[in-house]
């Protein structure tokens, strides 16, 4: 419910005469039977004009307490009283200020046992293989106890405490897989588009060979770092939305469950000595379980859509298609057979 502010001085009400009203001028008296000049009509229009309420003092309450009919719908005044300065309200920390800007989570997640927790959980944390953008080591994964507390804080109060350790193991495994995909992409395109084409022009099957050759000439592989990340499970990526639409049209080819999670990872790329921030988008899918009952997951990892990222994707896909369609793959096999 919002506030509506009226003008301080209402405009004067005007009454128009009907078209067939006879014109009058000067001191000519109006016809005695004219309803527009009847005293009762004039008094009715005069009393309809609203009387402006007195303006509240500059430091007072904007709610007109002196006019009970104006605030009859309010059970109490919505403006706080009691002499507390406005600065006290403004200085209260907001929710965003309590979050870590590197991962949009709370700065510290408790390692304490939760109320009504039926089983103790480990509090040790595993170190990932993902280097921080700040340069001070690698990112650490949450402990099972921290994971459980975070789930409770998000409202998942029915979480099975006996499954939390397995959840942490899957969480860590998927993040390591996502980082491996990012490293391979940065390995190919992290030093510019021309170098990326050199690695892609002989197709996907020869890309690793070309990359090792280029890295030997350059003196080693450049290691990217993760600056920050953000979970966005309720925001479907455009690609995932398109796949869901195609699944409804061509279910035999494109039908798949929606991704159960989405992450945005911000990676530091070193381009000719200059640090560049590249955003990667990760969609997490679950597939049918293995015959042994083990869960299956799929990751769709790619850089977010930008002009540079579009050229990178075109190079990677186009290089592989051209290598096969032009017969280069067959010629390469014949050449290797002769040698």
């Amino acid at each position: 419910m919002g506030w509506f502010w009226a003008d301080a001085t209402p405009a004067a009400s005007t009454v128009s005469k009907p078209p067939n009203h006879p014109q009058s001028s000067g001191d000519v008296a109006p016809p005695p039977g004219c309803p527009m000049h009847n005293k009762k009509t004039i008094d009715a229009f005069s009393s309809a004009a609203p009387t402006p309420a007195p303006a509240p003092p500059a430091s007072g309450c904007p709610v007109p307490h002196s006019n009970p009919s104006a605030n009859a719908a309010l059970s109490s005044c919505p403006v706080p009283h009691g002499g507390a300065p406005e600065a006290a309200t403004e200085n209260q920390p907001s929710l965003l200020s309590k979050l870590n800007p590197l991962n949009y989570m709370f700065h510290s997640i408790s390692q304490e046992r939760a109320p009504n927790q039926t089983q103790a959980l480990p509090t040790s944390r595993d170190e990932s293989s993902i280097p921080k953008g700040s340069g001070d080591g690698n990112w650490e994964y949450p402990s099972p106890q921290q994971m459980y507390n975070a789930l409770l804080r998000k409202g998942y109060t029915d979480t099975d405490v006996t499954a939390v350790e397995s959840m942490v193991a899957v969480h860590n495994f998927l993040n390591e897989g996502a980082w491996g995909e990012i490293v391979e992409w940065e390995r190919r395109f992290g030093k510019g588009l021309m170098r990326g084409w050199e690695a892609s022009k002989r197709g996907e099957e020869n890309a690793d060979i070309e990359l090792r050759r280029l890295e030997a000439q350059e003196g080693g592989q450049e290691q990217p770092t993760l600056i920050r990340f953000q979970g966005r499970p309720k925001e479907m990526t455009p690609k995932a939305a398109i796949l869901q639409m195609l699944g409804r049209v061509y279910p035999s080819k494109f039908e798949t469950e929606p991704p159960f999670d989405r992450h945005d990872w911000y990676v530091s790329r070193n381009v000719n000595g200059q640090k560049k921030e590249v955003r990667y988008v990760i969609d997490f899918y679950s597939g049918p379980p293995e015959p042994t009952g083990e869960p299956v997951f799929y990751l769709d990892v790619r850089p977010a859509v930008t002009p540079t990222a579009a050229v990178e994707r075109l190079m990677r896909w186009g290089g592989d298609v051209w290598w096969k369609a032009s017969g280069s793959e067959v010629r390469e096999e014949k050449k290797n057979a002769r040698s």
Side-chain angles (χ1 to χ4, degrees):
M1 177 180 178
W3 290 99
F4 293 87
W5 296 95
D7 294 334
T9 306
S13 300
T14 59
V15 180
S16 59
K17 300 178 182 179
N20 58 354
H21 189 280
Q23 298 294 325
S24 60
S25 60
D27 297 331
V28 178
C34 178
M36 297 303 296
H37 296 84
N38 186 279
K39 184 177 186 302
K40 293 183 178 180
T41 304
I42 296 174
D43 293 342
F45 278 106
S46 300
S47 61
T51 303
S59 59
C61 178
V63 179
H65 293 280
S66 60
N67 189 354
S69 61
N71 56 1
L74 300 177
S75 59
S76 62
C77 181
V79 180
H81 295 277
E86 295 182 1
T89 304
E90 295 177 356
N91 292 335
Q92 291 181 356
S94 64
L95 176 61
L96 289 177
S97 66
K98 299 178 182 179
L99 300 181
N100 185 346
L102 300 180
N103 56 11
Y104 297 94
M105 297 291 290
F106 289 94
H107 283 276
S108 61
I109 303 177
S110 174
Q111 293 271 27
E112 298 295 327
R113 185 165 178 161
N116 302 322
Q117 183 176 329
T118 59
Q119 177 179 315
L121 292 172
T123 58
S124 59
R125 304 178 65 181
D126 293 335
E127 183 177 313
S128 73
S129 64
I130 308 173
K132 294 181 180 179
S134 58
D136 55 344
N138 293 353
W139 289 88
E140 286 187 335
Y141 292 121
S143 69
Q145 184 64 61
Q146 287 179 316
M147 174 73 78
Y148 185 63
N149 290 338
L151 290 171
L152 293 179
R153 176 178 282 179
K154 291 182 179 181
Y156 300 103
T157 55
D158 57 345
T159 301
D160 183 4
V161 68
T162 63
V164 173
E165 291 189 63
S166 298
M167 293 168 58
V168 171
V170 171
H171 168 271
N172 299 355
F173 172 77
L174 292 178
N175 280 289
E176 290 293 328
W179 181 247
E181 294 284 339
I182 292 175
V183 168
E184 285 302 311
W185 196 283
E186 288 295 307
R187 186 184 174 201
R188 185 178 304 202
F189 295 105
K191 294 186 178 180
L193 295 176
M194 291 300 297
R195 183 182 179 280
W197 174 246
E198 286 294 322
S200 304
K201 65 182 181 181
R202 296 181 66 235
E204 288 297 300
E205 61 186 38
N206 297 308
D208 189 63
I209 298 174
E210 291 299 313
L211 285 170
R212 287 203 301 266
R213 179 181 63 81
L214 292 171
E215 288 166 356
Q217 296 174 355
E218 297 163 352
Q221 178 182 346
E222 187 75 24
Q223 179 68 21
T225 59
L226 179 60
I227 303 172
R228 65 185 187 278
F229 56 91
Q230 181 181 12
R232 303 170 67 182
K234 296 182 180 179
E235 300 178 42
M236 187 176 293
T237 62
K239 181 178 180 181
I242 292 173
L243 289 176
Q244 292 302 303
M245 181 186 67
L246 290 175
R248 289 191 288 270
V249 179
Y250 303 107
S252 60
K253 186 174 180 63
F254 294 102
E255 185 176 19
T256 180
E257 292 292 326
F260 64 86
D261 200 2
R262 170 197 171 172
H263 282 187
D264 285 13
W265 290 16
Y266 297 82
V267 175
S268 177
R269 175 185 292 183
N270 188 348
V271 181
N272 299 325
Q274 299 292 327
K275 294 292 185 180
K276 180 182 178 181
E277 185 177 286
V278 181
R279 181 168 68 94
Y280 279 83
V281 180
I282 308 168
D283 285 324
F284 296 82
Y285 294 88
S286 59
E290 296 284 357
T292 57
E294 296 178 352
V296 176
F297 302 97
Y298 300 96
L299 303 182
D300 187 1
V301 184
R302 71 274 186 194
V305 178
T306 62
T308 302
V311 175
E312 292 175 359
R313 295 191 195 188
L314 182 61
M315 283 185 176
R316 187 165 185 172
W317 173 80
D320 188 54
V321 171
W322 174 254
W323 175 256
K324 295 176 180 178
S326 64
S328 300
E329 184 178 15
V330 177
R331 291 194 299 270
E332 187 81 6
E333 291 176 356
K334 291 180 179 179
K335 180 180 177 182
N336 293 336
R338 288 196 300 267
S339 59

